[in-house]
Amino acid sequence: MVAGLYVGMENASWRGATMAMVNTITDKVKFCAEYGIPITEDQWPVHHFPDSIFADRGEFKGYKAEQLNRSFGIRIEIAPPYRADLKGIIEQFFRVTNRRIKPFIPGSVTKEGLKRGERDYRLDATLTLKEFTKIIIRSVLLHNNSHWINKYKPDADIIANDVQLIPKHLWSWGIRNRSGQLKYFSEDYVKLQLMERKKGSITKMGIHFERDVYYNCERAEKEGWYQDAAFGSKEVSLAYDPRSMNQIYLLTNDGFEVCYLLDHYETYSDISYEEFQVMKDIQEINKRKGEKERTEENYNYENAILDEINKSVKRSKEETENPNKTEKIKHIRENRRDEKEENRKNEAFILEEVQDMKSTNNSKNISKSEIEVKKVEDDNEGLSPELDFLQQLQKELFSKDAY
């Protein structure tokens, strides 16, 4: 019986294998309905995990196999290299599937390599990934419900009970009479256990994932995790799907918490983990490229400041011989007041020319404001030099058609 499938762009890899395993425990009636194919439960009754998996070396070797055993109690048996004959039923299924669908598929590969002048098969491809998946599903349904397995070796009980060597009948008879070692897990639990693992930390800025990227979760806000982290970050275990940076999962004693990418890291939304790593590497490379230039700029900056300070220290020593503390601070208040007044005069806005935009000719008109200013001059004779300066400025402005 074909227990699960995956149709996608992944090569033969752990990632592709996990997709097939998730499909193994998926309700097949619901799964087929998503592709517009109505079936009944008895047509594809598999939504379980097995007691053991017999697999190729590449996809299941090492840590990944240990993860399956630890999370689901599945025993992994690895096939030796170059022994496809040990998986005869599976290898035969691939051959039969190709024979069934290739004659109908536009753009299918019929032989290795093309001779000069032959039409490129890629030019004939028309199916979308979803359309191709629907064809594979129908092929699986045909196999499970009507394919006679010639190489299946029935035991005495199967022969005595006249069990047809068709996957659906073998499965149904085995469930009733042999019980098997099937295991059921929720789809979310399986997906979580098959995800990659990484250590992170809870900080006052959020849940730190990697390379200065932070996430947030609702529980953390409600329980004040970030405020507590102000006194020290806390290490946590995170799960993530390398195909998306949009969210990660914080593992807790009672399950998991969904964590979402913070708004100001939206640059990394809708990309894969690999793409994220490439983007960060490019940023690091660009940073190193400009390191020499920034070092020179900082060197020039510091030298310029030190040069100004050295000049001021030298000038101060020349102006005051043997200064003591009292002499240096004695007239600070008066000196500050005088310097401020001098700066005000030097910083005052003085306009070279102001034209009256309302005037339609070059004639010089005396405005009401000018008369009032003249009256102020007459009424305030003998005032301070500062006010005299300001009044003189006003007079100069109005004498140039100002308003």
Side-chain angles (χ1 to χ4, degrees):
M1 175 80 82
V2 176
L5 62 86
Y6 165 66
V7 179
M9 309 305 291
E10 297 290 344
N11 294 324
S13 62
W14 170 253
R15 191 171 300 170
T18 60
M19 295 299 296
M21 284 189 286
V22 169
N23 185 256
T24 299
I25 54 88
T26 298
D27 182 342
K28 300 307 189 298
V29 175
K30 179 181 177 182
F31 169 68
C32 290
E34 293 175 357
Y35 289 88
I37 303 175
I39 66 169
T40 57
E41 174 69 20
D42 65 301
Q43 288 180 280
W44 201 353
V46 187
H47 48 87
H48 313 84
F49 267 170
D51 180 59
S52 65
I53 293 178
F54 187 59
D56 285 328
R57 298 174 64 83
E59 290 89 338
F60 286 86
K61 189 178 180 181
Y63 166 76
K64 307 299 184 182
E66 296 175 7
Q67 185 177 341
L68 285 178
N69 183 267
R70 184 172 56 254
S71 300
F72 310 112
I74 297 176
R75 185 177 71 259
I76 303 298
E77 299 176 4
I78 304 297
Y82 310 110
R83 290 300 306 273
D85 57 299
L86 297 179
K87 307 189 299 297
I89 292 177
I90 296 173
E91 298 295 339
Q92 179 72 3
F93 172 72
F94 291 144
R95 187 181 70 83
V96 170
T97 300
N98 279 332
R99 190 176 66 235
R100 285 175 183 157
I101 68 173
K102 285 182 71 171
F104 305 99
I105 303 297
S108 60
V109 181
T110 57
K111 61 180 180 179
E112 294 292 334
L114 293 172
K115 294 182 180 179
R116 183 184 297 274
E118 286 188 313
R119 180 172 176 78
D120 190 337
Y121 59 83
R122 293 173 295 184
L123 300 175
D124 298 323
T126 60
L127 294 173
T128 65
L129 199 60
K130 184 174 183 179
E131 290 168 341
F132 184 72
T133 302
K134 291 171 67 174
I135 292 174
I136 296 297
I137 291 174
R138 292 189 184 279
S139 177
V140 167
L141 292 172
L142 179 66
H143 172 86
N144 285 347
N145 290 277
S146 63
H147 177 67
W148 189 277
I149 307 177
N150 291 315
K151 293 189 176 182
Y152 191 90
K153 295 179 175 59
D155 58 22
D157 290 336
I158 291 177
I159 295 173
N161 285 275
D162 294 325
V163 180
Q164 298 184 61
L165 303 186
I166 293 174
K168 179 176 70 172
H169 299 293
L170 289 169
W171 179 276
S172 299
W173 185 86
I175 293 296
R176 288 194 306 269
N177 298 278
R178 301 285 173 84
S179 72
Q181 298 291 329
L182 298 179
K183 310 171 190 292
Y184 175 76
F185 302 93
S186 71
E187 190 171 331
D188 278 350
Y189 177 78
V190 171
K191 289 178 179 178
L192 182 67
Q193 298 306 316
L194 293 177
M195 286 183 184
E196 302 284 347
R197 294 290 191 271
K198 192 173 190 62
K199 290 295 184 182
S201 58
I202 299 174
T203 71
K204 61 182 180 180
M205 296 176 62
I207 299 170
H208 180 242
F209 174 59
E210 183 179 328
R211 301 178 77 166
D212 299 326
V213 176
Y214 292 85
Y215 289 75
N216 180 38
C217 77
E218 186 176 351
R219 181 175 176 181
E221 288 187 337
K222 287 183 178 179
E223 298 183 2
W225 294 359
Y226 306 139
Q227 289 84 342
D228 296 340
F231 303 99
S233 61
K234 176 184 176 182
E235 188 177 76
V236 292
S237 295
L238 301 172
Y240 68 98
D241 188 330
R243 288 163 292 199
S244 175
M245 286 288 293
N246 289 1
Q247 56 195 46
I248 58 175
Y249 305 88
L250 191 154
L251 304 180
T252 62
N253 293 331
D254 53 354
F256 64 90
E257 294 291 329
V258 184
C259 307
Y260 297 97
L261 195 65
L262 291 176
D263 291 341
H264 49 281
Y265 294 106
E266 62 180 7
T267 304
Y268 307 122
S269 62
D270 300 324
I271 65 171
S272 67
Y273 181 74
E274 287 85 353
E275 289 173 308
F276 161 73
Q277 294 288 4
V278 170
M279 291 175 67
K280 296 299 289 185
D281 288 343
I282 290 174
Q283 292 174 17
E284 289 295 327
I285 291 171
N286 289 335
K287 180 181 177 181
R288 288 196 294 270
K289 283 181 178 178
E291 194 68 40
K292 181 179 179 181
E293 182 179 345
R294 289 193 299 275
T295 300
E296 292 178 354
E297 290 290 339
N298 288 333
Y299 177 78
N300 294 335
Y301 162 77
E302 293 176 359
N303 282 345
I305 291 177
L306 291 173
D307 185 55
E308 293 295 331
I309 292 173
N310 291 334
K311 288 178 180 179
S312 67
V313 171
K314 182 179 179 180
R315 185 190 64 253
S316 178
K317 290 181 178 180
E318 292 174 352
E319 292 176 350
T320 308
E321 295 182 1
N322 301 322
N324 55 49
K325 179 179 178 181
T326 303
E327 288 295 327
K328 293 191 69 173
I329 64 175
K330 182 176 180 180
H331 301 291
I332 283 183
R333 188 185 297 271
E334 293 82 355
N335 292 339
R336 178 182 175 82
R337 184 183 63 243
D338 294 343
E339 189 71 18
K340 182 169 67 175
E341 292 297 331
E342 183 65 25
N343 282 341
R344 285 179 174 177
K345 293 177 182 179
N346 295 331
E347 294 169 355
F349 295 155
I350 301 177
L351 308 183
E352 296 296 330
E353 182 178 2
V354 179
Q355 296 181 349
D356 186 354
M357 301 300 295
K358 296 180 181 179
S359 177
T360 58
N361 54 51
N362 295 327
S363 60
K364 193 171 183 180
N365 300 318
I366 299 176
S367 67
K368 181 180 178 182
S369 299
E370 187 176 353
I371 297 173
E372 291 177 349
V373 171
K374 179 63 178 174
K375 184 176 183 299
V376 170
E377 291 177 6
D378 296 337
D379 293 341
N380 294 281
E381 291 183 359
L383 294 179
S384 65
E386 290 78 11
L387 185 57
D388 285 341
F389 168 77
L390 293 175
Q391 290 178 344
Q392 182 62 31
L393 175 60
Q394 288 178 315
K395 183 177 179 181
E396 290 177 0
L397 290 175
F398 282 113
S399 68
K400 297 182 179 180
D401 295 333
Y403 64 93

